[in-house]
Amino acid sequence: MSLLSRIWALGFRAKIDHEIEDELKEHIRMRTADNVAAGMPATEARRDAVLRFGNPTAVRERVAGVDTALSLDNLWNDIRFAGRRLLKSPGFSITAILTLALGIGATTAIFSAAYSVLLRSLPFQHADRIVTINETHPQVAGGGEVTFPDYLDWRSQQSSFEQLAGYSIVSPETVSLVWDGHAEQVHRVLASSNLFSLLGVAPSLGRTFVEQDDTSNVNHVVVISAEAWQRYFGADRNVVGRNVDLNGVSFTIIGVLPPGSAYPAAGEFWMPFSLMDKESQASRVWHTVNVLGRLKPGLELAQAQADMQTIAARLARVYPATNRNVGVLLTPLREQLVGSLRPAVLSLMGCVVLVLLIACANVANLLLARAAAHSQEVAVRQALGASRLRLFTQSLSETLLLCLLGGVLGTVFAALTLPLLRMAFEHTDGADPSLVQSIQLNIPVLLVTLVVCVFTAILFGLLPMLKTPRKLTEALRPGDRGSTGRKSRSRSALVSAEIAIAIVVLFLGSLLIRSFQKLIQIDPGFRTDHLLSLEITLPQPRYEDQAPATNHFYEALLEKLRQSPGIVSAGTTNAVPLNASHSMTRFLIAGAAPLAPGAFPFAQIRYVSPDFFRTMGLGVVKGRGFKLKDIENNSNLFIVNQAFAQRYLAGRDPLTSSILLGVLSPHPDKIPVIGIVSNARDLGVETDAEPELYLPGFGTHAVILLRTNVDPVGVAAEVRDAVRELDPNQPTYHVQTIDEVLSDSLARQKMTAVLLGIFALLALTLASIGIYGVIAYSVTQRTREIGVRMAVGANRKNILLLILREAATLTGLGILAGLMGAFVCAHFARALLFQTSSADLVSVCASVAALLLVALLAAVLPAGRAATIHPMEALRSE
């Protein structure tokens, strides 16, 4: 070491020694306070503290960090020292903590959703062995319910399951409950006697079904959910044995399920399977039964699938008319409950992890800059004897404080956003409500958050070690502070990585937003504005489908509603618009070439009132609509939509065509077509309009549709009053506007697009902060170089371009790397896109343009500051 270096080092050490003295006094004061708190007299407490810290060797080891014994006392002192250092740098501390809080908070919130929806154990015994079993058909998308006879055959012939159980939520889905002078429509489930034993659910009160409950003379028993117990019966523990009125028939409550164990989750009252109508029990045409199976221990899903497919093939040979081409699909119960949420949650999880990486890269850059600013202090500590391990523990204590504070604040952010997240998820079609409501902070989620905090703290603690000087003579050399243009490759690489990650998140967000824009531009085929829907289910046996009493009720109700000044028109149908009718029928076109049994086409069928098409805004393209006399005369007449006419009546005159129903019977019904109406996307705006058949008539269950010239929600009270005038005990339910129905049908896409848009904005903001930080730091480090350049003739424009060129290089490299990763990620997310390519050019241009603009804005300020540096001041500062 040169003489000049030694002199400078001694001077720098004198400055450090002054700080050492202050720190020593603080250690003595704290040690004295600790001793007094432990019960030691004040004089002895002071003497012990001086003996502990006052000798020269202890001073040198304490300040230089040579105390290699990693005791708890040392660790606590390091943490207190780190806290004081962070308090002395509030700008750095607040920026780092907030950056980490945003990244950790977003990650914690989305991981809470992923854990509850995809990972958390279901509230059933050995739920991983429970599967749903559905029938498949080439002409019907996905799997569906099975017929009751097929369910019985499966149950008797299968060899892969410990148990097979069935339940039905149709015919009808709800019943009227009358209690304490009130009436309300409740969700009922018809269930086999072993459904709850298959699920492994034990009642909290009473008992569940036994085989004897399925016999016709003792089957008026019911099991209720915990929610129904609290809502309708005030959590009365004496409810078991109580009789309740359901659809005018008395039932005895025999048990109450524990909270969260209802299956299906929407169910409130479970009744024995034997209450299913006799026609459904005997028919291989009406698909009304959902089937669950519990796999035998050690049996793989593929083996059970092969076993059930063999049974399906056997049934197809025995019953070719109904079972030909019918397959079987086995799905784990969780997959069934998750519905369409899995790809959305996984995409959000991937994006939020990328945002966390950007946040970590920003904090890493801050720590590297801080380490560079304190490199000479670290060199002095090393010169005085500090080991690299001791330096690491001091650095770790600081980063641990930062990460834990960021984690706590991030957890608070996550807790505040989870209610909004549940609200967004609960409207997603196909997702089980119980899974959505279970999204909350819990021990596994908090443990993951803690692990993330500790892991990042360790990594951050290692970062300053990169700046630990290898050669002390160079680190202590006078003038070393004045860099002449040395670049920090690690900080530049981190910024480029931030930009690359931000491009991935931006591109995915742009794709989902573009997809959602195209989705909401789709015309559903009818007017959704000022259209209200509500449902009524008339109790059987007092009312029957197409019976005079039923017809009279709805005719009188519609007439009352039409007299309201706020209602333009009123009609009925059997399913809410934008939802499947859950009623499919086989048919043939009269005069067409005969088809083999099992090859008959399918179409949705809907029963409607005469004013249904006018209320919906569906135009009659050809022929005529229904009239009231068509219902009164029980006329069999068809109106078809354009999709049906184009697919099955092409080359024919539709108005002279007839359709055969009951094609599996010896004498099918020949029903004439009297009209064609425009298409409605009744299976959702994402799918094309499917062929539909409309028949005139009223059923016990009806959806009332009201077209209004006022706020549609405001007329709901009028409808309830009109219903009560006709039947005081008849409730209405599911009151909603069709705009709300449309919004709910797009909830998943909207939620995914909005959250990805928020993450993209967050990624863009963090990336801009990173670019600004590295350019500003570079300008500070290159002050002398800039002064020299300007002294030898460079003008302000040259300096500005020099700095902007550096920013452009970082940004360009990050964009190129990011685009490659973005295309790969978009390929895996293509299931979430609607009419949008995973390499959409508009999304690419929007993402790149947004990042370039932000990068330019982030680089202009430090570049402008560099261009205003006076050369004499820059050189004098060295």
Side-chain angles (χ1 to χ4, degrees):
M1 185 183 295
S2 66
L3 179 61
L4 187 61
S5 297
R6 288 176 182 273
I7 293 173
W8 180 86
L10 290 174
F12 187 79
R13 182 174 179 180
K15 178 182 177 183
I16 295 298
D17 284 342
H18 180 70
E19 298 177 2
I20 289 172
E21 184 178 357
D22 292 339
E23 182 177 348
L24 177 60
K25 291 178 181 178
E26 178 67 10
H27 279 301
I28 292 175
R29 185 189 66 77
M30 290 190 296
R31 181 75 176 196
T32 302
D34 291 342
N35 289 341
V36 171
M40 189 180 293
T43 304
E44 293 184 25
R46 172 74 178 176
R47 185 183 302 113
D48 175 78
V50 171
L51 289 174
R52 178 69 181 85
F53 295 103
N55 62 81
T57 302
V59 171
R60 183 173 182 273
E61 291 180 351
R62 171 62 57 185
V63 177
V66 181
D67 193 356
T68 55
L70 300 179
S71 65
L72 290 176
D73 196 31
N74 287 338
L75 181 60
W76 175 240
N77 286 330
D78 284 344
I79 291 176
R80 289 191 294 183
F81 177 64
R84 291 198 301 274
R85 287 191 66 183
L86 293 177
L87 288 175
K88 290 179 181 179
S89 306
F92 162 80
S93 303
I94 292 174
T95 302
I97 290 172
L98 285 179
T99 301
L100 285 171
L102 289 174
I104 292 175
T107 304
T108 301
I110 298 301
F111 180 71
S112 298
Y115 176 78
S116 298
V117 172
L118 305 179
L119 301 175
R120 190 176 187 178
S121 297
L122 297 175
F124 307 122
Q125 186 178 15
H126 302 298
D128 57 313
R129 287 165 44 201
I130 302 177
V131 298
T132 63
I133 312 174
N134 294 322
E135 282 190 349
T136 62
H137 194 281
Q139 298 183 43
V140 180
E145 296 89 350
V146 308
T147 65
F148 191 83
D150 282 350
Y151 158 68
L152 295 179
D153 287 336
W154 287 359
R155 191 169 177 173
S156 62
Q157 298 180 33
Q158 64 84 21
S159 59
S160 301
F161 302 95
E162 290 181 343
Q163 294 188 68
L164 220 61
Y167 66 93
S168 176
I169 55 175
V170 296
S171 302
E173 178 185 354
T174 63
V175 292
S176 176
L177 167 68
V178 179
W179 88 108
D180 295 337
H182 302 282
E184 186 160 346
Q185 210 72 17
V186 297
H187 290 271
R188 81 158 185 181
V189 181
L190 299 179
S192 61
S193 59
N194 66 331
L195 175 65
F196 298 112
S197 64
L198 182 149
L199 295 171
V201 173
S204 58
L205 292 175
R207 65 175 179 86
T208 58
F209 298 132
V210 294
E211 289 188 13
Q212 288 75 12
D213 294 325
D214 249 342
T215 56
S216 58
N217 56 339
V218 292
N219 60 0
H220 281 197
V221 292
V222 63
V223 175
I224 63 175
S225 68
E227 292 73 18
W229 177 51
Q230 294 172 359
R231 180 178 180 184
Y232 305 119
F233 306 105
D236 180 9
R237 299 191 65 84
N238 296 317
V239 72
V240 174
R242 177 174 174 177
N243 292 330
V244 292
D245 185 295
L246 297 171
N247 272 3
V249 179
S250 179
F251 283 79
T252 303
I253 298 176
I254 61 172
V256 179
L257 300 179
S261 63
Y263 187 85
E268 295 176 288
F269 288 73
W270 281 258
M271 303 176 184
F273 236 165
S274 56
L275 290 172
M276 180 182 290
D277 62 275
K278 301 305 180 184
E279 292 81 1
S280 296
Q281 292 187 39
S283 172
R284 290 190 183 270
V285 175
W286 296 345
H287 293 67
T288 58
V289 179
N290 296 274
V291 182
L292 293 179
R294 177 178 287 278
L295 290 169
K296 290 181 177 178
L299 194 73
E300 297 294 331
L301 185 65
Q303 295 173 273
Q305 175 76 49
D307 178 30
M308 294 302 297
Q309 197 62 48
T310 301
I311 297 173
R314 186 183 306 138
L315 294 178
R317 290 192 296 271
V318 178
Y319 308 104
T322 57
N323 289 62
R324 180 175 292 179
N325 299 323
V326 170
V328 178
L329 176 65
L330 272 62
T331 308
L333 180 59
R334 177 178 291 278
E335 297 294 327
Q336 185 80 11
L337 296 179
V338 169
S340 59
L341 272 182
R342 176 179 289 276
V345 170
L346 291 178
S347 297
L348 291 173
M349 193 67 203
C351 286
V352 82
V353 168
L354 295 179
V355 171
L356 178 61
L357 290 177
I358 296 176
C360 290
N362 262 352
V363 176
N365 264 330
L366 289 173
L367 290 171
L368 286 174
R370 185 176 172 84
H374 292 85
S375 60
Q376 290 175 326
E377 177 186 341
V378 174
V380 171
R381 291 180 181 273
Q382 283 188 290
L384 294 176
S387 67
R388 293 178 68 84
L389 178 61
R390 192 71 184 91
L391 292 174
F392 170 68
T393 59
Q394 288 186 335
S395 172
L396 179 62
S397 63
E398 185 172 331
T399 58
L400 192 60
L401 272 180
L402 284 175
C403 292
L404 289 179
L405 289 173
V408 170
L409 187 57
T411 303
V412 173
F413 288 165
L416 294 176
T417 58
L418 282 181
L420 299 177
L421 201 60
R422 286 194 295 268
M423 190 181 303
F425 278 24
E426 68 184 4
H427 293 290
T428 300
D429 183 47
D432 190 87
S434 61
L435 289 182
V436 174
Q437 291 306 314
S438 69
I439 297 176
Q440 56 188 347
L441 293 178
N442 46 50
I443 297 301
V445 171
L446 294 178
L447 286 177
V448 170
T449 302
L450 179 62
V451 169
V452 169
C453 292
V454 173
F455 182 70
T456 51
I458 294 173
L459 289 181
F460 289 163
L462 291 171
L463 287 174
M465 305 306 295
L466 299 176
K467 293 297 181 182
T468 303
R470 299 290 181 180
K471 297 181 180 179
L472 295 180
T473 54
E474 293 182 3
L476 297 174
R477 185 184 302 123
D480 190 61
R481 291 174 295 121
S483 174
T484 58
R486 230 170 15 196
K487 296 181 180 179
S488 174
R489 293 183 179 178
S490 56
R491 299 194 72 222
S492 299
L494 281 173
V495 171
S496 291
E498 282 186 60
I499 294 170
I501 296 172
I503 277 289
V504 174
V505 181
L506 275 172
F507 182 62
L508 290 177
S510 299
L511 279 179
L512 267 295
I513 291 173
R514 284 266 295 165
S515 173
F516 184 67
Q517 285 178 334
K518 292 184 177 181
L519 194 57
I520 60 178
Q521 291 171 357
I522 295 295
D523 181 10
F526 58 91
R527 287 177 51 202
T528 62
D529 64 294
H530 290 84
L531 188 58
L532 181 74
S533 78
L534 52 91
E535 296 184 51
I536 294 176
T537 301
L538 299 178
Q540 297 172 326
R542 186 153 56 100
Y543 296 94
E544 297 291 344
D545 290 338
Q546 313 296 324
T550 304
N551 293 347
H552 175 74
F553 177 89
Y554 287 116
E555 289 171 8
L557 176 61
L558 293 177
E559 185 60 33
K560 283 179 177 293
L561 296 177
R562 293 190 195 101
Q563 294 173 5
S564 171
I567 297 176
V568 177
S569 64
T572 66
T573 184
N574 60 327
V576 178
L578 297 172
N579 288 269
S581 68
H582 295 294
S583 180
M584 303 282 286
T585 183
R586 295 176 174 88
F587 67 92
L588 283 174
I589 304 299
L595 297 174
F600 300 130
F602 285 82
Q604 287 201 86
I605 188 166
R606 294 178 188 260
Y607 287 89
V608 299
S609 67
D611 275 349
F612 167 79
F613 300 114
R614 175 172 170 245
T615 304
M616 285 283 289
L618 294 172
V620 177
V621 178
K622 197 171 185 180
R624 69 170 179 90
F626 295 129
K627 299 177 181 178
L628 186 57
K629 66 178 182 180
D630 296 330
I631 297 178
E632 294 173 345
N633 298 333
N634 285 328
S635 302
N636 279 335
L637 301 171
F638 268 142
I639 292 177
V640 301
N641 66 348
Q642 289 176 302
F644 186 98
Q646 291 168 0
R647 183 177 301 183
Y648 299 112
L649 300 179
R652 298 171 178 267
D653 181 2
L655 300 185
T656 61
S657 300
S658 295
I659 299 172
L660 300 179
L661 286 193
V663 290
L664 300 181
S665 66
H667 304 288
D669 294 324
K670 186 176 182 180
I671 303 175
V673 176
I674 64 168
I676 300 175
V677 296
S678 55
N679 290 328
R681 294 175 179 257
D682 274 323
L683 299 183
V685 295
E686 288 183 279
T687 60
D688 293 331
E690 289 293 318
E692 289 191 272
L693 297 168
Y694 297 96
L695 279 168
F698 298 112
T700 54
H701 168 260
V703 177
I704 310 296
L705 295 169
L706 304 171
R707 175 74 61 185
T708 68
N709 53 19
V710 295
D711 181 8
V713 177
V715 304
E718 296 182 41
V719 180
R720 283 192 290 268
D721 292 340
V723 171
R724 287 197 190 100
E725 287 184 28
L726 296 171
D727 189 336
N729 291 328
Q730 179 58 52
T732 59
Y733 60 103
H734 288 173
V735 180
Q736 56 189 338
T737 66
I738 300 303
D739 278 334
E740 291 173 340
V741 175
L742 177 60
S743 178
D744 286 350
S745 71
L746 303 177
R748 176 184 60 81
Q749 296 88 337
K750 181 180 180 179
M751 175 268 298
T752 309
V754 169
L755 288 179
L756 276 181
I758 292 173
F759 294 154
L761 184 61
L762 183 58
L764 197 61
T765 303
L766 292 174
S768 66
I769 293 173
I771 295 169
Y772 171 82
V774 77
I775 299 300
Y777 177 78
S778 175
V779 168
T780 302
Q781 292 295 97
R782 301 172 68 179
T783 299
R784 186 183 180 198
E785 176 196 346
I786 292 171
V788 172
R789 287 178 179 271
M790 297 186 74
V792 298
N795 56 33
R796 297 182 186 277
K797 181 180 178 182
N798 298 137
I799 300 301
L800 185 65
L801 291 176
L802 174 70
I803 303 302
L804 291 179
R805 189 181 304 119
E806 180 180 347
T809 302
L810 294 176
T811 305
L813 291 175
I815 288 175
L816 289 177
L819 284 177
M820 290 187 287
F823 290 138
V824 173
C825 293
H827 176 74
F828 291 105
R830 64 187 184 278
L832 300 174
L833 302 179
F834 175 74
Q835 295 182 1
T836 304
S837 168
S838 58
D840 182 59
L841 184 60
V842 174
S843 298
V844 172
C845 294
S847 305
V848 172
L851 197 49
L852 286 175
L853 178 61
V854 168
L856 177 62
L857 293 175
V860 160
L861 189 59
R865 188 168 64 247
T868 59
I869 294 176
H870 195 281
M872 292 305 296
E873 293 179 359
L875 295 174
R876 190 182 298 119
S877 67
E878 299 299 328

